[in-house]
Amino acid sequence: MNIIEITDLHKVYDQEAVPVWAVNGITLSFEVGEFAAIVGPSGSGKTTLLNIIGGLDDPTKGNVVIDGVTINKLGGRQRTDFRMKNIGFVFQAYNLIPVFTARENVEFIMHLQGKNKNERDKRTKELLEAVGLADRIDSRPNKLSGGQQQRVAVARALASKPKFILADEPTANLDSKSTENLLDIMEKLNRNENITFIFSTHDQRVVNKARRVITIEDGAVVSDIRK
Amino acid sequence: MFEHISLAWRNIWRNKRRTLITTASIFFGVVLSAFMTSMQEGSYEQYIKTVVNFYSGYIQIHKAGYWDDKVINNTLVYTPEVERTIRQTSGVTMLTPRLENFALASSEEITKGVLVLGIDPQKEDSITRISKKIIYGNYLRPNDNGVVIGSGLAGFMKLNVGDTLVLIGQGFHGSSAAGKYPVRGIVKQPSPELDRTVVYMLVAQCQELFSASGRLTSVVIMVTDKDAVPPVFQSLKKSLGKDFEVMDWQEMNRILLKQIESDRAQGVITKGILYVIIGFGILGTIMMMVAERKKEMGVLVAIGMQKSKLASVLVFETIFIGMVGVIAGIVASIPVIWYFMFHPILMTGQAGEMMLEMGFDPYLSFSIMPSVFYNQALTVFIFTLIIGLYPVFIISRLKIIKALRN
Ligand SMILES: Nc1ncnc2c1ncn2[C@@H]1O[C@H](COP(=O)(O)OP(=O)(O)OP(=O)(O)O)[C@@H](O)[C@H]1O
Ligand SMILES: [Mg+2]
């Protein structure tokens, strides 16, 4: 079953003198349970593509349909709501709320969803256990290493029970050990819980772990390999 | 909701020093304005109390037209019915008759214009407490045939207790008035004007002097406090009819009240300027907070927080910063103002003399009425609400992509 359908996607940035086609006619689909890497040289359009899939940016042309909903046609409030319910985000720079503990960061989105306390507590514990941070549950981000923060970010992204997770270069700020550790966790979640991950990367070791590798250049898909 | 409030509260302490500096500026602003307001309101209360208690009373009854033409011919006939009508009006706690007129006073060589005030010694005293201000001799007794004079007048005319004061003047309907009165006491009136001119005598004696038997210039009426005035005022107006002129303290002290109003308005401007300066300080802090957190705000909206919720967090932060300053300021100023309320500051030098000149005790009084404080809280609250529009505006225009790339 396809969870994401991208058809003839274009994005042009034309604030500058020469218009830049950051995404130039991409048609792609993703299924539930994929573990897919988007690779390509710097400036090839990876971030732009992920942003449009996640409804953070608008395409110039084309559509992104998620589970039957054309996300780029949703208005601001509805789209925010849609993201909250359906998409988990992991960012390169972790971007946790600094005044919240690990637990509170994970819980926050469940507050937004209006989940009750029991459910929040239970799921927060499970998730932080799953990312190997059960003992750091009450630590603030500034007391955690980059790798630990990114694991909290993964737990946060999962908290809302999203249909898939988008991660733009999630390991770019991590050392090799933390990178490996994070990928193991992501892989395990993917295998055991069938969680869909779509991530961009520059890192060959990350690419090696992916079960599908989509290479883009100049805003277009040049290869799409399933392993 | 609680989560958002908690987030807002924690956010303001991210940069402790900056928040403390901002709240400190609010704190000092609140303390300063509370102090200023308290002092202003305290003086106004004191002024009003002084004029009401020592002169006008809360309500006066005259013959219609007296207030605009204060002459002995414009006096009312104080019949027992009139007195009963007033006495039976509910809310009236005290009333005292007065007959006042100008006359010439002379001693051995000196002649001077004086204000003759015919009073009921006991009733008058229970309102204006003249007996407490007697510095030589005695206050008037019931059926006394003497006079009590102001110390300024006594000095000028070189009169002592036991000397005789001669009064000459014009009485009711042009009759001539003359009399000789022993000086029983000398009173020190705080108002120099009054002190230089006043001659107190029994109202009956005064009526006789001016051939105005049964007549009064005014009946002074006291009620429990100024809030009790309107109903009494209304029912007196109705029951006495249009031959009489019923006036309340506000009408009789219009000039003073106008001065108070304009003084208050000046205070509002001063405090307004102070708060605008503080407001810019808060705005600066909020602008920095918003600028620093653009990326984080982008993240929050990306993961599914509605902009409206995010904006409410920022508005709470603004309000919290304001309220921390306000609460600290109020908590600090209450004991200070409380102290000064019971220990009013004695004014010396020119300011003190000026107050004496105007007939007031030379003390800076303070008021602790709640508005002194809640006006500050309300002002800061309104300012923070206005400042809170800034983050709301910024968030409404927030572009997630741009914010994330920050
Ligand atoms: N807001 C923007 N305004 C103008 N041009 C932009 C904007 N965002 C991206 N671009 C351009 O679009 C192209 C694709 O950028 P994008 O960030 O998607 O590449 P990327 O593959 O993620 O690169 P990297 O690997 O360096 O992260 C680039 O040429 C970039 O300069
Ligand atoms: Mg990128």
Side-chain angles (χ1 to χ4, degrees), chain A residues 51 56 77 80-81 83-84 89 95 97-100 104 109 111-112, chain B residues 3 7 10-11 14 296 299-303 305-306 308 400-401:
Chain A
N51 284 342
L56 304 178
R77 287 190 70 88
T80 305
D81 219 46
R83 283 197 301 270
M84 174 183 76
F89 288 90
N95 293 331
I97 303 174
V99 293
F100 277 173
E104 288 166 330
I109 197 147
H111 273 293
L112 295 178
Chain B
E3 200 58 21
L7 177 61
R10 293 195 221 178
N11 277 337
R14 279 188 191 192
E296 184 182 318
V299 169
L300 287 169
V301 178
I303 67 172
M305 187 176 198
Q306 290 292 354
S308 53
I400 304 175
I401 297 299

PDB file of all heavy atoms in Angstrom, chain A residues 51 56 77 80-81 83-84 89 95 97-100 104 109 111-112, chain B residues 3 7 10-11 14 296 299-303 305-306 308 400-401:
ATOM      1  N   ASN A  51      10.927  18.727   2.480  1.00  0.00           N
ATOM      2  CA  ASN A  51      10.071  19.793   3.018  1.00  0.00           C
ATOM      3  C   ASN A  51       8.700  19.799   2.354  1.00  0.00           C
ATOM      4  O   ASN A  51       7.680  20.030   3.015  1.00  0.00           O
ATOM      5  CB  ASN A  51      10.735  21.157   2.834  1.00  0.00           C
ATOM      6  CG  ASN A  51      11.846  21.392   3.842  1.00  0.00           C
ATOM      7  OD1 ASN A  51      11.913  20.700   4.864  1.00  0.00           O
ATOM      8  ND2 ASN A  51      12.726  22.341   3.560  1.00  0.00           N
ATOM      9  N   LEU A  56       5.860  21.394   4.675  1.00  0.00           N
ATOM     10  CA  LEU A  56       6.477  22.592   5.235  1.00  0.00           C
ATOM     11  C   LEU A  56       6.693  23.637   4.157  1.00  0.00           C
ATOM     12  O   LEU A  56       6.887  24.806   4.449  1.00  0.00           O
ATOM     13  CB  LEU A  56       7.824  22.248   5.884  1.00  0.00           C
ATOM     14  CG  LEU A  56       7.808  21.163   6.961  1.00  0.00           C
ATOM     15  CD1 LEU A  56       9.223  20.891   7.465  1.00  0.00           C
ATOM     16  CD2 LEU A  56       6.909  21.557   8.122  1.00  0.00           C
ATOM     17  N   ARG A  77      -3.841  25.984   8.908  1.00  0.00           N
ATOM     18  CA  ARG A  77      -4.216  25.308  10.155  1.00  0.00           C
ATOM     19  C   ARG A  77      -4.413  23.818   9.943  1.00  0.00           C
ATOM     20  O   ARG A  77      -3.948  22.997  10.729  1.00  0.00           O
ATOM     21  CB  ARG A  77      -5.512  25.900  10.732  1.00  0.00           C
ATOM     22  CG  ARG A  77      -5.355  27.271  11.344  1.00  0.00           C
ATOM     23  CD  ARG A  77      -6.617  27.664  12.092  1.00  0.00           C
ATOM     24  NE  ARG A  77      -6.783  26.862  13.296  1.00  0.00           N
ATOM     25  CZ  ARG A  77      -6.252  27.200  14.469  1.00  0.00           C
ATOM     26  NH1 ARG A  77      -5.548  28.292  14.605  1.00  0.00           N
ATOM     27  NH2 ARG A  77      -6.434  26.420  15.527  1.00  0.00           N
ATOM     28  N   THR A  80      -1.098  22.083   9.468  1.00  0.00           N
ATOM     29  CA  THR A  80      -0.395  21.895  10.741  1.00  0.00           C
ATOM     30  C   THR A  80      -0.991  20.712  11.496  1.00  0.00           C
ATOM     31  O   THR A  80      -0.273  19.869  12.047  1.00  0.00           O
ATOM     32  CB  THR A  80      -0.496  23.175  11.590  1.00  0.00           C
ATOM     33  OG1 THR A  80      -0.011  24.275  10.833  1.00  0.00           O
ATOM     34  CG2 THR A  80       0.315  23.055  12.861  1.00  0.00           C
ATOM     35  N   ASP A  81      -2.299  20.662  11.491  1.00  0.00           N
ATOM     36  CA  ASP A  81      -2.998  19.572  12.156  1.00  0.00           C
ATOM     37  C   ASP A  81      -2.648  18.229  11.509  1.00  0.00           C
ATOM     38  O   ASP A  81      -2.429  17.230  12.196  1.00  0.00           O
ATOM     39  CB  ASP A  81      -4.505  19.823  12.015  1.00  0.00           C
ATOM     40  CG  ASP A  81      -5.227  19.448  13.274  1.00  0.00           C
ATOM     41  OD1 ASP A  81      -4.739  19.844  14.353  1.00  0.00           O
ATOM     42  OD2 ASP A  81      -6.261  18.748  13.174  1.00  0.00           O
ATOM     43  N   ARG A  83       0.063  17.484   9.872  1.00  0.00           N
ATOM     44  CA  ARG A  83       1.438  17.114  10.234  1.00  0.00           C
ATOM     45  C   ARG A  83       1.478  16.504  11.623  1.00  0.00           C
ATOM     46  O   ARG A  83       2.134  15.498  11.853  1.00  0.00           O
ATOM     47  CB  ARG A  83       2.352  18.346  10.212  1.00  0.00           C
ATOM     48  CG  ARG A  83       2.770  18.793   8.839  1.00  0.00           C
ATOM     49  CD  ARG A  83       3.967  19.734   8.914  1.00  0.00           C
ATOM     50  NE  ARG A  83       3.703  20.921   9.714  1.00  0.00           N
ATOM     51  CZ  ARG A  83       3.209  22.048   9.231  1.00  0.00           C
ATOM     52  NH1 ARG A  83       2.943  22.151   7.940  1.00  0.00           N
ATOM     53  NH2 ARG A  83       2.985  23.075  10.012  1.00  0.00           N
ATOM     54  N   MET A  84       0.728  17.145  12.552  1.00  0.00           N
ATOM     55  CA  MET A  84       0.736  16.655  13.928  1.00  0.00           C
ATOM     56  C   MET A  84       0.269  15.205  13.987  1.00  0.00           C
ATOM     57  O   MET A  84       0.800  14.386  14.718  1.00  0.00           O
ATOM     58  CB  MET A  84      -0.166  17.528  14.794  1.00  0.00           C
ATOM     59  CG  MET A  84      -0.343  17.011  16.198  1.00  0.00           C
ATOM     60  SD  MET A  84      -1.484  18.023  17.125  1.00  0.00           S
ATOM     61  CE  MET A  84      -3.029  17.496  16.465  1.00  0.00           C
ATOM     62  N   PHE A  89       8.869  14.324  12.441  1.00  0.00           N
ATOM     63  CA  PHE A  89      10.039  15.005  11.862  1.00  0.00           C
ATOM     64  C   PHE A  89      11.266  14.819  12.748  1.00  0.00           C
ATOM     65  O   PHE A  89      11.186  14.946  13.971  1.00  0.00           O
ATOM     66  CB  PHE A  89       9.784  16.514  11.754  1.00  0.00           C
ATOM     67  CG  PHE A  89       8.804  16.887  10.677  1.00  0.00           C
ATOM     68  CD1 PHE A  89       7.442  16.974  10.959  1.00  0.00           C
ATOM     69  CD2 PHE A  89       9.231  17.147   9.378  1.00  0.00           C
ATOM     70  CE1 PHE A  89       6.540  17.324   9.973  1.00  0.00           C
ATOM     71  CE2 PHE A  89       8.332  17.497   8.382  1.00  0.00           C
ATOM     72  CZ  PHE A  89       6.970  17.584   8.675  1.00  0.00           C
ATOM     73  N   ASN A  95      16.976  20.021  17.540  1.00  0.00           N
ATOM     74  CA  ASN A  95      15.866  20.950  17.767  1.00  0.00           C
ATOM     75  C   ASN A  95      14.854  20.505  18.807  1.00  0.00           C
ATOM     76  O   ASN A  95      13.649  20.553  18.598  1.00  0.00           O
ATOM     77  CB  ASN A  95      15.137  21.247  16.459  1.00  0.00           C
ATOM     78  CG  ASN A  95      16.016  22.029  15.505  1.00  0.00           C
ATOM     79  OD1 ASN A  95      16.882  22.774  15.946  1.00  0.00           O
ATOM     80  ND2 ASN A  95      15.811  21.842  14.226  1.00  0.00           N
ATOM     81  N   ILE A  97      13.054  21.129  22.549  1.00  0.00           N
ATOM     82  CA  ILE A  97      12.736  22.338  23.314  1.00  0.00           C
ATOM     83  C   ILE A  97      13.679  22.373  24.516  1.00  0.00           C
ATOM     84  O   ILE A  97      13.638  21.471  25.360  1.00  0.00           O
ATOM     85  CB  ILE A  97      11.269  22.330  23.789  1.00  0.00           C
ATOM     86  CG1 ILE A  97      10.332  22.198  22.585  1.00  0.00           C
ATOM     87  CG2 ILE A  97      10.964  23.591  24.578  1.00  0.00           C
ATOM     88  CD1 ILE A  97       8.880  22.034  22.954  1.00  0.00           C
ATOM     89  N   PRO A  98      14.551  23.364  24.594  1.00  0.00           N
ATOM     90  CA  PRO A  98      15.613  23.325  25.600  1.00  0.00           C
ATOM     91  C   PRO A  98      15.124  23.353  27.047  1.00  0.00           C
ATOM     92  O   PRO A  98      15.801  22.826  27.921  1.00  0.00           O
ATOM     93  CB  PRO A  98      16.454  24.568  25.284  1.00  0.00           C
ATOM     94  CG  PRO A  98      15.616  25.418  24.398  1.00  0.00           C
ATOM     95  CD  PRO A  98      14.659  24.535  23.707  1.00  0.00           C
ATOM     96  N   VAL A  99      13.937  23.958  27.292  1.00  0.00           N
ATOM     97  CA  VAL A  99      13.495  24.035  28.692  1.00  0.00           C
ATOM     98  C   VAL A  99      12.748  22.781  29.129  1.00  0.00           C
ATOM     99  O   VAL A  99      12.404  22.639  30.297  1.00  0.00           O
ATOM    100  CB  VAL A  99      12.593  25.272  28.950  1.00  0.00           C
ATOM    101  CG1 VAL A  99      13.398  26.542  28.793  1.00  0.00           C
ATOM    102  CG2 VAL A  99      11.383  25.279  28.043  1.00  0.00           C
ATOM    103  N   PHE A 100      12.514  21.883  28.201  1.00  0.00           N
ATOM    104  CA  PHE A 100      11.807  20.649  28.539  1.00  0.00           C
ATOM    105  C   PHE A 100      12.792  19.500  28.728  1.00  0.00           C
ATOM    106  O   PHE A 100      13.819  19.435  28.055  1.00  0.00           O
ATOM    107  CB  PHE A 100      10.830  20.276  27.424  1.00  0.00           C
ATOM    108  CG  PHE A 100       9.505  20.981  27.492  1.00  0.00           C
ATOM    109  CD1 PHE A 100       8.590  20.845  26.455  1.00  0.00           C
ATOM    110  CD2 PHE A 100       9.143  21.752  28.585  1.00  0.00           C
ATOM    111  CE1 PHE A 100       7.366  21.480  26.489  1.00  0.00           C
ATOM    112  CE2 PHE A 100       7.916  22.394  28.636  1.00  0.00           C
ATOM    113  CZ  PHE A 100       7.022  22.258  27.588  1.00  0.00           C
ATOM    114  N   GLU A 104       9.418  15.452  28.716  1.00  0.00           N
ATOM    115  CA  GLU A 104       8.471  16.502  28.325  1.00  0.00           C
ATOM    116  C   GLU A 104       8.521  16.782  26.831  1.00  0.00           C
ATOM    117  O   GLU A 104       7.509  17.091  26.207  1.00  0.00           O
ATOM    118  CB  GLU A 104       8.759  17.779  29.111  1.00  0.00           C
ATOM    119  CG  GLU A 104       8.358  17.656  30.562  1.00  0.00           C
ATOM    120  CD  GLU A 104       8.923  18.765  31.424  1.00  0.00           C
ATOM    121  OE1 GLU A 104      10.018  19.274  31.107  1.00  0.00           O
ATOM    122  OE2 GLU A 104       8.272  19.118  32.414  1.00  0.00           O
ATOM    123  N   ILE A 109       3.985  16.618  22.079  1.00  0.00           N
ATOM    124  CA  ILE A 109       3.091  16.462  20.924  1.00  0.00           C
ATOM    125  C   ILE A 109       1.818  15.710  21.322  1.00  0.00           C
ATOM    126  O   ILE A 109       0.743  15.951  20.781  1.00  0.00           O
ATOM    127  CB  ILE A 109       3.823  15.782  19.759  1.00  0.00           C
ATOM    128  CG1 ILE A 109       3.048  16.009  18.457  1.00  0.00           C
ATOM    129  CG2 ILE A 109       4.032  14.302  20.007  1.00  0.00           C
ATOM    130  CD1 ILE A 109       3.936  16.114  17.263  1.00  0.00           C
ATOM    131  N   HIS A 111       0.420  16.102  24.175  1.00  0.00           N
ATOM    132  CA  HIS A 111      -0.410  17.166  24.747  1.00  0.00           C
ATOM    133  C   HIS A 111      -1.187  17.863  23.646  1.00  0.00           C
ATOM    134  O   HIS A 111      -2.377  18.114  23.772  1.00  0.00           O
ATOM    135  CB  HIS A 111       0.466  18.206  25.453  1.00  0.00           C
ATOM    136  CG  HIS A 111       0.763  17.872  26.873  1.00  0.00           C
ATOM    137  ND1 HIS A 111      -0.203  17.863  27.840  1.00  0.00           N
ATOM    138  CD2 HIS A 111       1.918  17.545  27.489  1.00  0.00           C
ATOM    139  CE1 HIS A 111       0.345  17.547  28.992  1.00  0.00           C
ATOM    140  NE2 HIS A 111       1.635  17.343  28.809  1.00  0.00           N
ATOM    141  N   LEU A 112      -0.462  18.175  22.559  1.00  0.00           N
ATOM    142  CA  LEU A 112      -1.129  18.846  21.438  1.00  0.00           C
ATOM    143  C   LEU A 112      -2.255  17.977  20.890  1.00  0.00           C
ATOM    144  O   LEU A 112      -3.282  18.478  20.452  1.00  0.00           O
ATOM    145  CB  LEU A 112      -0.127  19.166  20.325  1.00  0.00           C
ATOM    146  CG  LEU A 112       0.977  20.174  20.647  1.00  0.00           C
ATOM    147  CD1 LEU A 112       1.902  20.341  19.453  1.00  0.00           C
ATOM    148  CD2 LEU A 112       0.390  21.521  21.038  1.00  0.00           C
TER     149      LEU A 112
ATOM    150  N   GLU B   3       0.148  22.983  29.921  1.00  0.00           N
ATOM    151  CA  GLU B   3       1.443  22.708  29.320  1.00  0.00           C
ATOM    152  C   GLU B   3       2.023  23.981  28.689  1.00  0.00           C
ATOM    153  O   GLU B   3       3.208  24.265  28.808  1.00  0.00           O
ATOM    154  CB  GLU B   3       1.258  21.606  28.266  1.00  0.00           C
ATOM    155  CG  GLU B   3       2.517  20.877  27.902  1.00  0.00           C
ATOM    156  CD  GLU B   3       3.177  20.213  29.099  1.00  0.00           C
ATOM    157  OE1 GLU B   3       2.490  19.976  30.117  1.00  0.00           O
ATOM    158  OE2 GLU B   3       4.381  19.951  29.007  1.00  0.00           O
ATOM    159  N   LEU B   7       5.254  25.969  29.767  1.00  0.00           N
ATOM    160  CA  LEU B   7       6.311  26.230  28.782  1.00  0.00           C
ATOM    161  C   LEU B   7       6.671  27.709  28.784  1.00  0.00           C
ATOM    162  O   LEU B   7       7.852  28.078  28.802  1.00  0.00           O
ATOM    163  CB  LEU B   7       5.829  25.795  27.390  1.00  0.00           C
ATOM    164  CG  LEU B   7       6.773  26.056  26.219  1.00  0.00           C
ATOM    165  CD1 LEU B   7       8.085  25.314  26.406  1.00  0.00           C
ATOM    166  CD2 LEU B   7       6.125  25.625  24.902  1.00  0.00           C
ATOM    167  N   ARG B  10       8.662  28.645  31.877  1.00  0.00           N
ATOM    168  CA  ARG B  10      10.059  28.216  31.828  1.00  0.00           C
ATOM    169  C   ARG B  10      10.831  29.001  30.783  1.00  0.00           C
ATOM    170  O   ARG B  10      12.016  29.285  30.972  1.00  0.00           O
ATOM    171  CB  ARG B  10      10.121  26.736  31.482  1.00  0.00           C
ATOM    172  CG  ARG B  10       9.534  25.896  32.600  1.00  0.00           C
ATOM    173  CD  ARG B  10       9.933  24.473  32.391  1.00  0.00           C
ATOM    174  NE  ARG B  10       8.834  23.581  32.681  1.00  0.00           N
ATOM    175  CZ  ARG B  10       8.933  22.272  32.540  1.00  0.00           C
ATOM    176  NH1 ARG B  10      10.038  21.733  32.076  1.00  0.00           N
ATOM    177  NH2 ARG B  10       7.915  21.517  32.845  1.00  0.00           N
ATOM    178  N   ASN B  11      10.168  29.346  29.700  1.00  0.00           N
ATOM    179  CA  ASN B  11      10.869  30.080  28.653  1.00  0.00           C
ATOM    180  C   ASN B  11      11.403  31.421  29.139  1.00  0.00           C
ATOM    181  O   ASN B  11      12.469  31.845  28.718  1.00  0.00           O
ATOM    182  CB  ASN B  11       9.932  30.326  27.464  1.00  0.00           C
ATOM    183  CG  ASN B  11       9.873  29.123  26.548  1.00  0.00           C
ATOM    184  OD1 ASN B  11      10.788  28.294  26.532  1.00  0.00           O
ATOM    185  ND2 ASN B  11       8.804  29.012  25.793  1.00  0.00           N
ATOM    186  N   ARG B  14      14.890  31.332  30.584  1.00  0.00           N
ATOM    187  CA  ARG B  14      16.005  30.827  29.785  1.00  0.00           C
ATOM    188  C   ARG B  14      17.189  31.751  29.901  1.00  0.00           C
ATOM    189  O   ARG B  14      18.317  31.320  30.007  1.00  0.00           O
ATOM    190  CB  ARG B  14      15.603  30.785  28.317  1.00  0.00           C
ATOM    191  CG  ARG B  14      14.819  29.595  27.970  1.00  0.00           C
ATOM    192  CD  ARG B  14      14.689  29.599  26.486  1.00  0.00           C
ATOM    193  NE  ARG B  14      13.725  28.619  26.099  1.00  0.00           N
ATOM    194  CZ  ARG B  14      13.565  28.238  24.842  1.00  0.00           C
ATOM    195  NH1 ARG B  14      14.283  28.776  23.892  1.00  0.00           N
ATOM    196  NH2 ARG B  14      12.676  27.341  24.562  1.00  0.00           N
ATOM    197  N   GLU B 296      13.384  27.557  16.665  1.00  0.00           N
ATOM    198  CA  GLU B 296      12.610  26.679  17.526  1.00  0.00           C
ATOM    199  C   GLU B 296      11.111  26.819  17.238  1.00  0.00           C
ATOM    200  O   GLU B 296      10.357  25.842  17.257  1.00  0.00           O
ATOM    201  CB  GLU B 296      12.904  27.070  18.970  1.00  0.00           C
ATOM    202  CG  GLU B 296      12.251  26.175  19.984  1.00  0.00           C
ATOM    203  CD  GLU B 296      12.563  26.684  21.365  1.00  0.00           C
ATOM    204  OE1 GLU B 296      13.718  27.066  21.607  1.00  0.00           O
ATOM    205  OE2 GLU B 296      11.633  26.714  22.191  1.00  0.00           O
ATOM    206  N   VAL B 299      10.346  24.833  14.296  1.00  0.00           N
ATOM    207  CA  VAL B 299      10.277  23.408  14.629  1.00  0.00           C
ATOM    208  C   VAL B 299       8.922  23.061  15.235  1.00  0.00           C
ATOM    209  O   VAL B 299       8.281  22.072  14.862  1.00  0.00           O
ATOM    210  CB  VAL B 299      11.415  23.016  15.596  1.00  0.00           C
ATOM    211  CG1 VAL B 299      11.196  21.617  16.155  1.00  0.00           C
ATOM    212  CG2 VAL B 299      12.760  23.115  14.900  1.00  0.00           C
ATOM    213  N   LEU B 300       8.487  23.909  16.166  1.00  0.00           N
ATOM    214  CA  LEU B 300       7.224  23.616  16.845  1.00  0.00           C
ATOM    215  C   LEU B 300       6.051  23.595  15.873  1.00  0.00           C
ATOM    216  O   LEU B 300       5.173  22.724  15.962  1.00  0.00           O
ATOM    217  CB  LEU B 300       6.978  24.630  17.967  1.00  0.00           C
ATOM    218  CG  LEU B 300       7.888  24.430  19.188  1.00  0.00           C
ATOM    219  CD1 LEU B 300       7.785  25.605  20.145  1.00  0.00           C
ATOM    220  CD2 LEU B 300       7.528  23.130  19.907  1.00  0.00           C
ATOM    221  N   VAL B 301       6.034  24.538  14.957  1.00  0.00           N
ATOM    222  CA  VAL B 301       4.942  24.549  13.985  1.00  0.00           C
ATOM    223  C   VAL B 301       5.091  23.357  13.044  1.00  0.00           C
ATOM    224  O   VAL B 301       4.108  22.716  12.668  1.00  0.00           O
ATOM    225  CB  VAL B 301       4.900  25.881  13.207  1.00  0.00           C
ATOM    226  CG1 VAL B 301       3.779  25.859  12.170  1.00  0.00           C
ATOM    227  CG2 VAL B 301       4.692  27.046  14.160  1.00  0.00           C
ATOM    228  N   ALA B 302       6.342  23.024  12.701  1.00  0.00           N
ATOM    229  CA  ALA B 302       6.570  21.878  11.811  1.00  0.00           C
ATOM    230  C   ALA B 302       6.035  20.592  12.422  1.00  0.00           C
ATOM    231  O   ALA B 302       5.352  19.820  11.752  1.00  0.00           O
ATOM    232  CB  ALA B 302       8.062  21.739  11.516  1.00  0.00           C
ATOM    233  N   ILE B 303       6.297  20.392  13.706  1.00  0.00           N
ATOM    234  CA  ILE B 303       5.850  19.121  14.292  1.00  0.00           C
ATOM    235  C   ILE B 303       4.362  19.138  14.632  1.00  0.00           C
ATOM    236  O   ILE B 303       3.822  18.141  15.095  1.00  0.00           O
ATOM    237  CB  ILE B 303       6.674  18.705  15.539  1.00  0.00           C
ATOM    238  CG1 ILE B 303       6.439  19.675  16.702  1.00  0.00           C
ATOM    239  CG2 ILE B 303       8.151  18.592  15.193  1.00  0.00           C
ATOM    240  CD1 ILE B 303       7.069  19.194  18.005  1.00  0.00           C
ATOM    241  N   MET B 305       2.393  22.086  16.067  1.00  0.00           N
ATOM    242  CA  MET B 305       1.788  23.044  16.989  1.00  0.00           C
ATOM    243  C   MET B 305       1.174  24.171  16.153  1.00  0.00           C
ATOM    244  O   MET B 305       1.847  24.755  15.307  1.00  0.00           O
ATOM    245  CB  MET B 305       2.860  23.615  17.912  1.00  0.00           C
ATOM    246  CG  MET B 305       2.304  24.495  19.004  1.00  0.00           C
ATOM    247  SD  MET B 305       3.630  25.034  20.114  1.00  0.00           S
ATOM    248  CE  MET B 305       2.690  25.560  21.543  1.00  0.00           C
ATOM    249  N   GLN B 306      -0.083  24.467  16.446  1.00  0.00           N
ATOM    250  CA  GLN B 306      -0.729  25.545  15.701  1.00  0.00           C
ATOM    251  C   GLN B 306      -0.057  26.877  16.040  1.00  0.00           C
ATOM    252  O   GLN B 306       0.325  27.115  17.185  1.00  0.00           O
ATOM    253  CB  GLN B 306      -2.221  25.631  16.039  1.00  0.00           C
ATOM    254  CG  GLN B 306      -3.049  24.489  15.506  1.00  0.00           C
ATOM    255  CD  GLN B 306      -3.159  24.467  13.981  1.00  0.00           C
ATOM    256  OE1 GLN B 306      -2.696  25.388  13.303  1.00  0.00           O
ATOM    257  NE2 GLN B 306      -3.740  23.416  13.446  1.00  0.00           N
ATOM    258  N   SER B 308      -1.415  29.641  16.428  1.00  0.00           N
ATOM    259  CA  SER B 308      -2.177  30.365  17.447  1.00  0.00           C
ATOM    260  C   SER B 308      -1.750  29.928  18.849  1.00  0.00           C
ATOM    261  O   SER B 308      -1.639  30.750  19.754  1.00  0.00           O
ATOM    262  CB  SER B 308      -3.670  30.151  17.244  1.00  0.00           C
ATOM    263  OG  SER B 308      -3.947  28.772  17.173  1.00  0.00           O
ATOM    264  N   ILE B 400       7.894  28.557   7.952  1.00  0.00           N
ATOM    265  CA  ILE B 400       8.570  27.446   8.619  1.00  0.00           C
ATOM    266  C   ILE B 400       9.948  27.193   8.008  1.00  0.00           C
ATOM    267  O   ILE B 400      10.941  27.053   8.723  1.00  0.00           O
ATOM    268  CB  ILE B 400       7.729  26.153   8.509  1.00  0.00           C
ATOM    269  CG1 ILE B 400       6.336  26.399   9.087  1.00  0.00           C
ATOM    270  CG2 ILE B 400       8.404  25.018   9.245  1.00  0.00           C
ATOM    271  CD1 ILE B 400       5.411  25.217   8.921  1.00  0.00           C
ATOM    272  N   ILE B 401       9.981  27.136   6.672  1.00  0.00           N
ATOM    273  CA  ILE B 401      11.223  26.808   5.981  1.00  0.00           C
ATOM    274  C   ILE B 401      12.331  27.797   6.326  1.00  0.00           C
ATOM    275  O   ILE B 401      13.452  27.421   6.651  1.00  0.00           O
ATOM    276  CB  ILE B 401      10.976  26.843   4.447  1.00  0.00           C
ATOM    277  CG1 ILE B 401       9.947  25.780   4.076  1.00  0.00           C
ATOM    278  CG2 ILE B 401      12.252  26.628   3.670  1.00  0.00           C
ATOM    279  CD1 ILE B 401      10.385  24.393   4.422  1.00  0.00           C
TER     280      ILE B 401
END
